[in-house]
Amino acid sequence: MICQECGQEQANVFITKIINGKKIELHLCERCAREKEELEFSFQPQFTLHNLFGGLLHENIRGSRDQIRIAKTQCPSCALTFAQFSQIGRLGCSDCFAAFGDKLQPLLRRIHGSARHTGKVPRRGQGAVLAKRELERLKEELHRAVQKEEFEEAARLRDQIRAMEKDLEQGGNEA
Amino acid sequence: MKQDAFVLSRWMEGTGPEADTVISSRVRIARNIEGIPFPYLASDEQTAAVLAQVSQTAAAQKEAFDDFVYHRMADLSHQAKQVLVEKHLISPFLAKESHNGGVLLRRDEAVSILINEEDHLRIQAILPGLQLEEAWQEANRYDDLLETGINYAFDERYGYLTACPTNVGTGLRASVMLHLPALIMTKQVNRLLGALSQVGLAVRGLYGEGTEIIGNLVQVSNQITLGLTEEEILRNLYGVTRQIIEQEQQARQALLNDSRQRITDRSWRALGLLHYARIMSSQEAMQLLSDVRLGYDLGLIDNIDRKLLNELLVIIRPATLQLLAGKELGAEDRDLERPLQIKKRLNRYVDKTES
């Protein structure tokens, strides 16, 4: 079997990960496995974030100009740069999440296998968050209904979604 | 307040479900306050503001926080802080590196709220035996109470925001402390624990990250905090823990069937050494305590109890040992003091057995 990553070397590292109930199988050569940190993942639970961030930067960003631009991205509230974050492994304040937004997502996906919170919500603003979660669930259902050509069901869902979106909009204006 | 006497924490009681394999269950949730940088970037005034918000909220919820004692890290001696670490009530980080750090500690020592740790707040609950759900209920209750006066940093997409991306989302880290002598003795443990990392769980030694496995004690915790609900995280850990318990029990039965005399001998020898030795390292003590515990759990030794074994697990640690001795001790002196403190507590048990 050939390595899925480089497509050249013989794959001799086989990794099965189960995250959120989804099974992911990887066939890698030793070098790619090391580069992807998968070896560390499997055998040393105390992988360092350093390695992870390093790997992430290399893998996702082509060209050094992009790399510099991203490294210089700075949080407007606490002035932490993405480069500093990559070194320290800690965010500076809650606004860093918005400031680094799309650069954080792949990292969070790697650590957690997901980048969307589904757990507890503070009571403040609970209504809106829960409504949005419900809305997203309905949209997924609608998509499924359309694919299965269950048009009556789809129409029902569409109306439900429209009504909810209207509610949310009005709620948002009030707030 | 001065911490000059050793009190048992709730988790040391040795009670609770599956107490013959699970020493304790712990849950901690990480929370931060909106508008204040995370502690390591925060100024002195900002970390002081965190303290003020927490104490005001606790004061407003007087009834709920009535049985809590507040300790400022700056007011505690190095030894007093280390004792709290050895009892698993605060983190080494809070003891050593925090600025304006503090802990709100419930009198039964089952709940501790760490302030200005890596995150502004770490709410921890630790209970004896396999009680993950109960520990979560405890921590969650204080999370709700604190929320009445604190505006938490929360994002719809990322959940509760934390300094380290490995905690973001639920901010929930749940763990169980397991005693796995039979799986370790029969060398099945590596296979089992290797599999854990593949289901999003981490394995560590007794004192957390980067510590080795001693005394056959293993800490298993969730790695994933984002994308799963609190219930799912707890259920996963609970399910896997049940499986580990079952395997450990099978391995214990196999040991008992194959080499009952050897195991019996080993447990009694360990008890003898703990009672009569004059020099003892903490590592040796941990191993011997594990042998005695296994003997007790298999019904080969009686007249001893889990509460005492748990107490011994903590009092052999450097800071607690010095607290009991009432003086500072170097490593060599500690190895002399340790057997004295162990013997004192074992006396009533061993004498009873001999009569």
Side-chain angles (χ1 to χ4, degrees):
Chain A
M1 195 173 287
I2 299 298
C3 170
Q4 290 175 341
E5 193 65 17
C6 60
Q8 289 170 359
E9 299 288 330
Q10 191 69 27
N12 49 13
V13 178
F14 301 91
I15 294 156
T16 309
K17 287 207 267 188
I18 299 166
I19 296 172
N20 289 353
K22 266 180 229 151
K23 193 166 159 187
I24 302 162
E25 283 188 275
L26 291 170
H27 311 291
L28 304 171
C29 70
E30 221 175 293
R31 198 164 53 89
C32 289
R34 230 180 275 285
E35 272 180 19
K36 276 182 76 84
E37 311 287 341
E38 296 288 358
L39 272 180
E40 262 75 14
F41 255 118
S42 310
F43 303 120
Q44 299 173 2
Q46 293 103 328
F47 61 90
T48 69
L49 280 162
H50 277 79
N51 300 344
L52 247 170
F53 294 137
L56 185 77
L57 281 168
H58 286 299
E59 197 167 313
N60 291 352
I61 299 152
R62 311 265 176 244
S64 58
R65 202 177 299 167
D66 269 1
Q67 215 161 325
I68 291 165
R69 187 177 55 76
I70 284 172
K72 279 189 175 164
T73 307
Q74 195 172 31
C75 170
S77 297
C78 69
L80 189 82
T81 64
F82 193 74
Q84 286 170 321
F85 162 65
S86 312
Q87 276 179 358
I88 310 167
R90 301 281 184 278
L91 294 143
C93 69
S94 48
D95 293 332
C96 288
F97 285 86
F100 302 148
D102 48 335
K103 290 145 209 123
L104 271 182
Q105 289 233 14
L107 174 71
L108 291 173
R109 252 191 218 105
R110 267 205 182 187
I111 299 173
H112 301 287
S114 160
R116 181 163 279 284
H117 180 58
T118 55
K120 187 179 175 179
V121 174
R123 254 181 233 134
R124 145 189 78 87
Q126 201 171 44
V129 174
L130 295 183
K132 277 186 196 162
R133 271 191 201 165
E134 174 65 8
L135 193 62
E136 243 158 67
R137 194 187 61 79
L138 288 174
K139 280 181 181 168
E140 272 169 35
E141 250 180 66
L142 173 64
H143 185 70
R144 229 170 300 152
V146 171
Q147 276 190 331
K148 283 197 216 157
E149 302 188 5
E150 291 166 356
F151 295 116
E152 264 177 52
E153 172 72 1
R156 190 185 64 78
L157 285 165
R158 182 203 56 204
D159 293 345
Q160 209 178 335
I161 288 167
R162 275 190 190 155
M164 261 191 100
E165 279 176 335
K166 212 173 161 192
D167 278 356
L168 267 177
E169 230 169 81
Q170 281 166 354
N173 290 341
E174 275 164 32
Chain B
M1 198 191 96
K2 257 188 96 178
Q3 282 240 325
D4 44 13
F6 181 77
V7 266
L8 286 189
S9 306
R10 173 90 172 273
W11 70 264
M12 295 178 207
E13 283 167 9
T15 51
E18 314 293 345
D20 59 352
T21 324
V22 186
I23 311 259
S24 61
S25 301
R26 173 161 56 159
V27 156
R28 74 111 173 95
I29 38 191
R31 297 288 185 259
N32 286 284
I33 303 176
E34 179 79 46
I36 302 179
F38 299 141
Y40 84 97
L41 272 193
S43 68
D44 216 41
E45 292 95 68
Q46 285 169 322
T47 47
V50 173
L51 277 178
Q53 282 203 36
V54 176
S55 60
Q56 277 162 22
T57 309
Q61 302 279 344
K62 208 167 183 313
E63 236 159 78
F65 286 95
D66 202 33
D67 51 351
F68 277 76
V69 180
Y70 176 62
H71 302 284
R72 251 165 55 115
M73 284 303 117
D75 294 342
L76 294 180
S77 67
H78 172 72
Q79 183 194 302
K81 285 187 274 191
Q82 283 310 116
V83 170
L84 293 175
V85 172
E86 289 171 1
K87 290 164 103 177
H88 300 285
L89 303 177
I90 67 170
S91 62
F93 181 89
L94 188 77
K96 285 192 193 119
E97 290 169 61
S98 62
H99 300 284
N100 274 328
V103 60
L104 268 166
L105 187 59
R106 205 167 76 180
R107 283 189 202 282
D108 66 351
E109 303 192 342
V111 177
S112 43
I113 299 166
L114 284 57
I115 306 162
N116 286 323
E117 213 252 17
E118 184 184 288
D119 295 299
H120 294 143
L121 287 169
R122 292 272 175 100
I123 306 165
Q124 173 185 289
I126 180 166
L127 295 174
L130 184 56
Q131 300 197 69
L132 283 166
E133 180 60 33
E134 291 80 358
W136 158 249
Q137 300 289 358
E138 284 278 18
N140 192 33
R141 190 178 137 222
Y142 291 102
D143 183 41
D144 287 345
L145 285 166
L146 289 168
E147 199 200 312
T148 59
I150 290 171
N151 204 2
Y152 284 146
F154 181 86
D155 178 88
E156 230 179 280
R157 178 195 295 262
Y158 299 129
Y160 291 94
L161 303 176
T162 56
C164 186
T166 56
N167 292 320
V168 82
T170 56
L172 171 67
R173 188 85 60 213
S175 67
V176 285
M177 184 69 68
L178 304 171
H179 183 230
L180 305 177
L183 285 176
I184 290 172
M185 235 183 268
T186 56
K187 301 195 167 30
Q188 296 176 66
V189 76
N190 289 341
R191 188 171 45 83
L192 181 74
L193 300 184
L196 290 183
S197 62
Q198 293 178 21
V199 290
L201 299 177
V203 186
R204 302 190 167 114
L206 180 56
Y207 282 87
E209 217 163 324
T211 58
E212 54 175 331
I213 295 175
I214 43 172
N216 297 324
L217 292 170
V218 168
Q219 198 186 124
V220 180
S221 62
N222 66 302
Q223 284 281 64
I224 293 167
T225 58
L226 180 65
L228 297 176
T229 64
E230 288 80 1
E231 286 70 27
E232 286 169 325
I233 291 170
L234 294 166
R235 212 185 310 133
N236 287 351
L237 180 59
Y238 179 84
V240 170
T241 303
R242 298 241 36 139
Q243 284 183 16
I244 300 176
I245 292 170
E246 201 173 301
Q247 300 228 14
E248 169 66 20
Q249 295 298 345
Q250 280 175 14
R252 285 185 193 180
Q253 277 313 313
L255 273 178
L256 208 52
N257 293 340
D258 295 348
S259 33
R260 187 184 188 94
Q261 295 303 336
R262 273 178 185 281
I263 294 296
T264 311
D265 178 65
R266 186 171 167 149
S267 307
W268 282 100
R269 271 171 189 273
L271 189 59
L273 278 171
L274 284 167
H275 192 243
Y276 291 110
R278 290 289 187 266
I279 302 175
M280 192 174 285
S281 69
S282 73
Q283 187 137 0
E284 185 188 4
M286 296 279 288
Q287 183 54 51
L288 294 172
L289 284 171
S290 170
D291 291 344
V292 173
R293 190 185 287 268
L294 178 63
Y296 172 80
D297 289 337
L298 289 175
L300 306 171
I301 290 188
D302 43 18
N303 288 336
I304 202 159
D305 60 47
R306 282 197 196 102
K307 195 168 166 178
L308 176 72
L309 291 170
N310 290 343
E311 183 184 350
L312 290 176
L313 215 51
V314 175
I315 68 134
I316 60 168
R317 309 294 303 173
T320 311
L321 198 59
Q322 294 176 70
L323 173 83
L324 292 168
K327 57 186 173 203
E328 274 188 38
L329 299 169
E332 274 179 38
D333 288 333
R334 288 203 297 272
D335 287 355
L336 289 169
E337 179 69 26
R338 191 171 287 113
L340 296 178
Q341 294 292 342
I342 296 173
K343 187 183 168 73
K344 211 176 175 178
R345 285 164 179 74
L346 277 178
N347 260 336
R348 45 197 159 131
Y349 293 93
V350 174
D351 289 348
K352 231 190 263 174
T353 325
E354 278 167 353
S355 62

